Amino acid sequence: MSEWLLVMVGGAAGAASRHVIDKLGKLWPGDPVIGTFFINLTGSLILGFIAGMRIDKFALPSKFRHFMIVGFLGSYTTFSTFTVASVQLLRDGQATKGILNMVMSVVVGVLFAYMGVYLGGAFRSWRQ
């Protein structure tokens, strides 16, 4: 399968996954950003896990990289949606919620990325 097709299929899967999670997040009473928050965290975790597996020259097949990193995660993660949603919360007079969304997304996102790197490294060690 060509790298272009892998990116497109991965992108479609990431976009569909994001859409489902965003819809489920809107079911959470009174919190329109929970889906975006969850997507940012899990995207950080997945990419961190993949990065952790690559430490010490753990080689990922280029087909996996094109499908998962460029395609799936490229369409799944939501930084632009996160920033616009945060600005809308601020503009709507919900400064506390907007600031909390920004701080928690960045701080917890970095923690999840770190956890992913750690888990990816542990997985790499377990495989060897």
Side-chain angles (χ1 to χ4, degrees):
M1 189 178 291
S2 81
E3 71 181 50
W4 289 96
L5 189 55
L6 287 166
V7 170
M8 288 187 284
V9 171
S17 298
R18 176 187 168 173
H19 182 68
V20 167
I21 292 169
D22 193 49
K23 289 288 185 190
L24 291 172
K26 289 187 181 358
L27 298 175
W28 197 278
D31 200 346
V33 297
I34 194 73
T36 300
F37 181 71
F38 180 79
I39 290 164
N40 285 335
L41 296 183
T42 56
S44 296
L45 179 67
I46 293 166
L47 188 56
F49 182 83
I50 293 168
M53 289 192 310
R54 295 188 72 191
I55 294 172
D56 296 330
K57 298 184 171 81
F58 181 83
L60 292 173
S62 67
K63 290 183 182 211
F64 176 81
R65 188 174 50 78
H66 285 104
F67 174 81
M68 191 65 181
I69 296 172
V70 178
F72 183 85
L73 289 173
S75 66
Y76 176 73
T77 55
T78 58
F79 188 74
S80 59
T81 304
F82 150 70
T83 57
V84 170
S86 297
V87 168
Q88 287 174 334
L89 288 168
L90 294 172
R91 288 183 63 189
D92 291 344
Q94 298 183 53
T96 301
K97 190 177 263 188
I99 292 168
L100 186 62
N101 183 52
M102 289 183 275
V103 170
M104 291 299 292
S105 290
V106 172
V107 170
V108 179
V110 168
L111 290 173
F112 269 58
Y114 181 81
M115 185 170 53
V117 168
Y118 175 80
L119 292 172
F123 178 77
R124 183 201 69 240
S125 296
W126 175 75
R127 269 194 77 213
Q128 294 175 347

Coordinates of all heavy atoms in Angstrom, one line a residue, residues 1-12 62-63 65-68 70-72:
M1 N 0.9 -1.2 0.0 CA 0.0 0.0 0.0 C 0.9 1.2 0.0 O 1.9 1.3 0.8 CB -0.9 0.0 1.2 CG -2.0 1.0 1.2 SD -3.1 1.0 2.7 CE -4.0 -0.5 2.4
S2 N 0.6 2.2 -0.8 CA 1.4 3.4 -0.9 C 1.3 4.3 0.3 O 0.3 4.2 1.1 CB 1.0 4.2 -2.1 OG -0.1 5.0 -1.8
E3 N 2.4 5.1 0.6 CA 2.4 5.9 1.8 C 1.2 6.9 1.7 O 0.6 7.2 2.8 CB 3.7 6.6 1.9 CG 4.0 7.7 0.9 CD 5.3 8.4 1.1 OE1 6.3 7.6 1.2 OE2 5.4 9.6 1.1
W4 N 0.8 7.4 0.6 CA -0.3 8.3 0.4 C -1.6 7.7 0.9 O -2.4 8.3 1.6 CB -0.4 8.8 -1.0 CG 0.7 9.8 -1.4 CD1 1.8 9.4 -2.0 CD2 0.8 11.1 -1.0 NE1 2.6 10.6 -2.1 CE2 2.0 11.6 -1.5 CE3 -0.1 12.0 -0.4 CZ2 2.4 12.9 -1.4 CZ3 0.3 13.3 -0.2 CH2 1.6 13.8 -0.8
L5 N -1.8 6.4 0.4 CA -3.0 5.7 0.8 C -3.1 5.4 2.3 O -4.1 5.6 3.0 CB -3.2 4.4 0.0 CG -4.5 3.7 0.1 CD1 -5.7 4.6 -0.2 CD2 -4.5 2.5 -0.8
L6 N -1.9 5.1 2.9 CA -1.8 4.8 4.3 C -2.1 6.1 5.1 O -2.9 6.0 6.1 CB -0.4 4.3 4.7 CG -0.1 2.9 4.3 CD1 1.4 2.6 4.4 CD2 -0.9 1.9 5.1
V7 N -1.6 7.2 4.7 CA -1.9 8.5 5.3 C -3.4 8.8 5.2 O -4.1 9.2 6.2 CB -1.1 9.7 4.7 CG1 -1.6 11.0 5.3 CG2 0.4 9.5 5.1
M8 N -4.0 8.6 4.1 CA -5.4 8.9 3.9 C -6.3 8.0 4.7 O -7.3 8.4 5.4 CB -5.8 8.8 2.4 CG -5.3 9.9 1.6 SD -5.9 10.0 -0.1 CE -4.9 8.7 -0.8
V9 N -6.0 6.7 4.7 CA -6.8 5.7 5.5 C -6.6 6.0 7.0 O -7.6 6.0 7.8 CB -6.4 4.3 5.2 CG1 -7.1 3.3 6.2 CG2 -6.8 3.9 3.8
G10 N -5.4 6.3 7.4 CA -5.2 6.6 8.8 C -5.9 7.9 9.2 O -6.5 8.1 10.3
G11 N -5.8 8.9 8.3 CA -6.5 10.2 8.5 C -8.0 10.0 8.7 O -8.7 10.6 9.5
A12 N -8.6 9.2 7.8 CA -10.0 8.9 7.9 C -10.4 8.2 9.2 O -11.4 8.6 9.9 CB -10.5 8.0 6.7
S62 N 8.0 2.1 8.3 CA 7.5 3.4 7.7 C 6.0 3.3 7.4 O 5.3 4.4 7.5 CB 8.3 3.7 6.5 OG 8.1 2.8 5.4
K63 N 5.5 2.2 7.1 CA 4.0 2.1 6.8 C 3.2 2.4 8.1 O 2.2 3.1 8.0 CB 3.7 0.7 6.3 CG 4.2 0.4 4.9 CD 3.8 -0.9 4.4 CE 4.4 -1.0 3.0 NZ 3.7 -1.8 2.1
R65 N 4.3 4.3 10.6 CA 4.5 5.7 10.8 C 3.6 6.5 9.9 O 2.9 7.5 10.4 CB 6.0 6.1 10.6 CG 6.3 7.5 11.0 CD 7.8 7.8 10.9 NE 8.4 7.5 9.6 CZ 8.2 8.2 8.5 NH1 7.5 9.3 8.5 NH2 8.8 7.8 7.4
H66 N 3.5 6.2 8.7 CA 2.6 6.9 7.8 C 1.1 6.8 8.2 O 0.4 7.8 8.2 CB 2.8 6.5 6.3 CG 4.0 7.0 5.7 ND1 5.1 6.2 5.5 CD2 4.4 8.2 5.3 CE1 6.1 6.9 5.0 NE2 5.7 8.1 4.8
F67 N 0.7 5.6 8.5 CA -0.7 5.4 8.9 C -1.0 6.0 10.3 O -2.0 6.8 10.4 CB -1.0 3.8 9.0 CG -2.4 3.6 9.5 CD1 -3.5 3.6 8.7 CD2 -2.6 3.2 10.9 CE1 -4.7 3.4 9.2 CE2 -3.8 3.0 11.4 CZ -4.9 3.0 10.5
M68 N -0.2 5.7 11.3 CA -0.5 6.1 12.6 C -0.2 7.5 13.0 O -1.0 8.3 13.5 CB 0.1 5.1 13.6 CG -0.3 5.2 15.0 SD -2.1 4.8 15.1 CE -2.4 5.0 16.8
V70 N 1.3 10.2 11.0 CA 0.9 11.2 10.1 C -0.6 11.2 9.8 O -1.3 12.2 9.9 CB 1.7 11.1 8.7 CG1 1.2 12.1 7.7 CG2 3.2 11.2 8.9
G71 N -1.1 10.0 9.5 CA -2.6 9.9 9.2 C -3.5 10.0 10.4 O -4.2 11.0 10.6
F72 N -3.5 9.0 11.2 CA -4.4 8.9 12.3 C -4.3 10.0 13.3 O -5.2 10.8 13.6 CB -4.3 7.5 13.1 CG -5.3 7.3 14.2 CD1 -6.5 6.8 13.9 CD2 -5.0 7.7 15.5 CE1 -7.5 6.7 14.9 CE2 -5.9 7.5 16.5 CZ -7.2 7.0 16.2

